[in-house]
Amino acid sequence: MPEGMDLFEAIHTQRAIRSFKPDLVPDHLITTLLEAAVKAPNGGNVQDWRFIVIRDQETKRKIGQLYRTGTRSKIDPNWPAQRRRIYTSAQELEDHLEEVPALILVCIPPYPGEPNPGAMIFPAVQNILLAARGLGLGSVLTVRQSRHEQELKELLDIPEGMQTAALLPIGYPAEGARYGPTSRKPVAEVAFRETWGDSWGR
């Protein structure tokens, strides 16, 4: 992380960024993100993760077309304003995916019988998101790529025995896209002492 960016500052100001400047993200910053990813804990330390960095414009265009294929999420006008904003922002990202400077596609093998396969990969994803925040880059965890798993595997020559886990757009935040502080429920509402319902904050 750059000098002056405390870990907890990064955690408390990390925010989903879905709108980006067109500026190129240098290789050394992408490398820093990937180095952060491979330092993450993972079950059995098997390190089965793989990361595909995608910058080619034609490839991004094809991925964007896939994202815009099929049923799109309906935005219910009765939803709370914050939820409507999030879904609108997610659809805008889909509509402009090829304009994002870089995409990182995160892949893992399936783990038959594993009750929580996310434990094998999502710590690495979070490391990328936090490292991006520390470097002044924006990103967001997206998993809509799973709707087009086979097409993506064919497009990117992903071998059988691997599956996609997440697609992370990477770039400098656009004007108006900002970091935190974030709005979250207080710990007292979501954490309990010893048994369910006995608030940690009592």
Side-chain angles (χ1 to χ4, degrees):
M1 292 186 184
E3 186 176 347
M5 175 59 74
D6 173 77
L7 171 62
F8 285 94
E9 181 184 354
I11 290 171
H12 286 275
T13 61
Q14 181 187 17
R15 185 186 288 271
I17 302 292
R18 300 183 181 90
S19 181
F20 305 91
K21 295 178 181 177
D23 306 44
L24 176 72
V25 178
D27 279 0
H28 73 276
L29 295 186
I30 297 292
T31 299
T32 299
L33 300 181
L34 297 173
E35 287 174 342
V38 301
K39 293 299 184 182
N42 60 105
N45 198 30
V46 294
Q47 303 179 59
D48 281 337
W49 44 45
R50 297 294 183 270
F51 307 89
I52 303 176
V53 179
I54 302 159
R55 283 190 171 133
D56 179 75
Q57 196 61 38
E58 180 62 13
T59 303
K60 290 189 295 180
R61 185 189 66 78
K62 289 178 179 178
I63 294 172
Q65 282 184 325
L66 285 174
Y67 262 58
R68 295 186 290 271
T69 299
T71 304
R72 289 170 65 95
S73 300
K74 295 272 197 303
I75 298 174
D76 189 329
N78 297 314
W79 285 347
Q82 181 182 22
R83 187 176 183 192
R84 290 199 310 273
R85 281 195 304 272
I86 290 170
Y87 272 74
T88 298
S89 176
Q91 289 202 344
E92 287 175 356
L93 174 60
E94 282 189 12
D95 291 340
H96 300 277
L97 198 62
E98 54 267 45
E99 298 170 24
V100 177
L103 306 172
I104 298 178
L105 184 67
V106 182
C107 303
I108 57 168
Y111 296 98
E114 171 58 52
N116 188 11
M120 305 297 281
I121 193 61
F122 286 112
V125 170
Q126 177 67 349
N127 273 13
I128 291 175
L129 296 175
L130 282 174
R133 171 65 189 99
L135 294 169
L137 296 167
S139 189
V140 62
L141 168 61
T142 77
V143 293
R144 291 186 179 188
Q145 89 293 330
S146 63
R147 299 176 181 178
H148 310 286
E149 182 79 5
Q150 194 55 44
E151 296 97 323
L152 277 174
K153 290 178 73 170
E154 291 172 5
L155 176 63
L156 301 171
D157 295 324
I158 298 171
E160 290 304 315
M162 294 298 287
Q163 63 187 19
T164 68
L167 183 73
L168 307 178
I170 305 291
Y172 295 99
E175 296 299 326
R178 58 186 179 84
Y179 301 116
T182 53
S183 174
R184 299 289 187 267
K185 293 179 180 179
V187 168
E189 287 187 21
V190 298
F192 307 125
R193 189 181 302 273
E194 307 296 347
T195 57
W196 189 282
D198 186 3
S199 173
W200 176 260
R202 65 175 169 80

